[in-house]
Amino acid sequence: MRKVGLVMRKIQFTEAQGPRVFADRLKQIGLELGVDIVFISPERHVSGYDWLPGYEHEKGDLVNYDVVLDQIHSQNIEHVIYTVSGFTFLKMFLPKSVLFPHSFPDPALTGYEMMKPFYTMVDKAVVQTEFLKRELGRNFGVNDVNVIPIGFNEELAHRHYDPNQIVHNRVLWIGRDEENRRPDLVLEYARQNPDKEVYMVFGGRRYEESMKKYNIPSNVKLQFALTQDEVFALMNSAKVYWSCSTFDTFAMPLTEAMAMGKMVVKPEHACYGHIRSTHAFAGNEDNWFELVNMAAAAPRSVSEDNREYAFGAFSRTIMKEGYRNFFADWLK
């Protein structure tokens, strides 16, 4: 079985959110395709809180190269997928290395200026959306790019789908307590709409502490570090899924919401252009509250159009075929 190293930050492997879900899904798909995905991460210079200066950012990654390379060489690995741009230098030692970005140099994101120099060194990438492929070419001249979605778990999307369980005033938001995710907007929406039941789901336990700085309205339910099974069960019960992030590289919960037939409210930004169907409504800070209320008041409980589109565009089956073709070319 061929080995492929997956290099992520330690904190990304430990939290129940996008990067870890992606890693587990890729590992399972790899096994089905005869590829052993080996998890690799720095063991030092990390913090449980990624906003502390000097920790868990691209510059911090540079001091971890010896640790990462030791792990890679000890496993006789020649092919590496790295998810953090600070590890671009791996291609100096491993020509067969490819970036799968968990972030992107967009002005809306923390570390934007820090990321840019690393992206000028990228020569091969796998991305989640056509938007990211266009941006890599337009901004950094990277044209060797494969687009493979992070496919949602089809078994969970079938098992938990039950329109009879929908709570019609329930609005679901999944994100982080970070400025560009706009949790402040969700709390303000809840304050202005006391008739709505608003669930806010956070991927890591660390947000239990950081969310204490907010005044949480009584109609807001906070959830932390849910399993995928719990996410889909909760997703099924909500009428509306709302994303108000400024920018997103993964947008995984949006694809899951589509697969569960939710009425979706999303940002107008082009990075969400792949989230499109009859009942996916794009808005902005000026009209989001109204859009969420309109979606909640819609006479239909679910959108079969959204669900059908998601299964055809973002399923695990689509992801597996994408990696089957990618590995066949990259590992030969």
Side-chain angles (χ1 to χ4, degrees):
M1 185 176 282
R2 299 293 296 274
K3 285 186 177 182
V4 169
L6 177 64
V7 181
M8 299 202 313
R9 291 190 177 121
K10 192 174 183 180
I11 200 168
Q12 293 173 320
F13 278 121
T14 58
E15 293 199 333
Q17 54 190 18
R20 177 67 203 213
V21 173
F22 161 72
D24 289 339
R25 197 157 297 154
L26 182 63
K27 187 171 184 68
Q28 183 57 45
I29 284 173
L31 290 174
E32 294 168 19
L33 298 175
V35 177
D36 182 14
I37 304 293
V38 180
F39 293 171
I40 295 167
S41 69
E43 293 300 319
R44 57 177 169 80
H45 201 71
V46 293
S47 160
Y49 298 89
D50 70 353
W51 53 81
L52 292 183
Y55 289 90
E56 294 286 353
H57 286 300
E58 275 70 11
K59 286 179 181 174
D61 296 325
L62 295 179
V63 301
N64 286 303
Y65 266 74
D66 57 336
V67 179
V68 170
L69 283 170
D70 282 349
Q71 292 180 57
I72 292 170
H73 291 318
S74 70
Q75 301 254 14
N76 295 315
I77 292 170
E78 296 179 354
H79 294 77
V80 169
I81 298 170
Y82 60 98
T83 66
V84 180
S85 61
F87 285 108
T88 305
F89 283 114
L90 282 173
K91 73 175 187 179
M92 292 169 55
F93 311 97
L94 299 150
K96 293 283 191 177
S97 57
V98 60
L99 171 67
F100 185 98
H102 284 186
S103 194
F104 189 81
D106 184 272
L109 296 182
T110 304
Y112 159 66
E113 292 292 346
M114 195 188 301
M115 279 189 273
K116 281 199 299 186
F118 294 99
Y119 270 77
T120 63
M121 295 179 279
V122 174
D123 55 5
K124 185 176 182 64
V126 177
V127 296
Q128 155 88 331
T129 62
E130 290 289 344
F131 168 82
L132 289 169
K133 179 178 181 176
R134 290 195 304 272
E135 290 299 287
L136 275 171
R138 186 168 69 90
N139 293 315
F140 302 103
V142 183
N143 296 308
D144 185 357
V145 182
N146 292 74
V147 179
I148 308 175
I150 304 172
F152 61 85
N153 187 315
E154 291 157 285
E155 191 269 329
L156 290 178
H158 284 301
R159 173 150 50 92
H160 288 291
Y161 184 68
D162 181 1
N164 292 322
Q165 299 298 316
I166 287 173
V167 179
H168 284 261
N169 70 333
R170 183 172 292 176
V171 176
L172 175 61
W173 175 95
I174 298 177
R176 302 184 177 107
D177 177 28
E178 294 172 358
E179 185 180 0
N180 76 293
R181 301 292 178 184
R182 300 307 309 271
D184 56 307
L185 270 182
V186 185
L187 295 171
E188 183 56 34
Y189 169 81
R191 267 189 286 274
Q192 292 185 25
N193 295 273
D195 61 311
K196 298 298 189 296
E197 185 181 70
V198 180
Y199 272 82
M200 299 181 72
V201 177
F202 298 86
R205 288 281 173 198
R206 57 190 166 129
Y207 300 112
E208 287 183 275
E209 189 62 34
S210 69
M211 285 301 289
K212 290 178 181 177
K213 66 178 177 284
Y214 297 105
N215 176 21
I216 309 294
S218 60
N219 59 327
V220 170
K221 309 283 194 301
L222 301 180
Q223 304 276 293
F224 301 93
L226 300 183
T227 64
Q228 275 278 284
D229 207 60
E230 291 168 331
V231 166
F232 274 85
L234 180 58
M235 187 80 79
N236 180 69
S237 72
K239 173 73 173 287
V240 180
Y241 182 79
W242 176 25
S243 169
C244 54
S245 296
T246 311
F247 184 93
D248 208 324
T249 315
F250 270 23
M252 283 174 61
L254 271 168
T255 62
E256 293 165 348
M258 295 279 281
M260 293 300 287
K262 299 301 96 182
M263 309 297 282
V264 168
V265 177
K266 62 164 190 165
E268 292 170 329
H269 195 290
C271 71
Y272 301 96
H274 60 299
I275 305 296
R276 53 191 302 166
S277 186
T278 313
H279 303 105
F281 308 108
N284 55 60
E285 196 168 337
D286 293 328
N287 67 2
W288 266 326
F289 292 8
E290 188 69 15
L291 280 178
V292 171
N293 285 337
M294 287 170 59
R300 63 178 62 245
S301 296
V302 295
S303 170
E304 290 294 347
D305 287 355
N306 286 9
R307 187 164 161 83
E308 182 180 347
Y309 179 80
F311 271 86
F314 313 122
S315 68
R316 185 186 186 277
T317 300
I318 303 291
M319 179 180 180
K320 183 176 177 179
E321 284 309 301
Y323 276 101
R324 186 194 306 278
N325 296 331
F326 173 72
F327 287 145
D329 180 58
W330 187 46
L331 299 178
K332 66 186 178 185

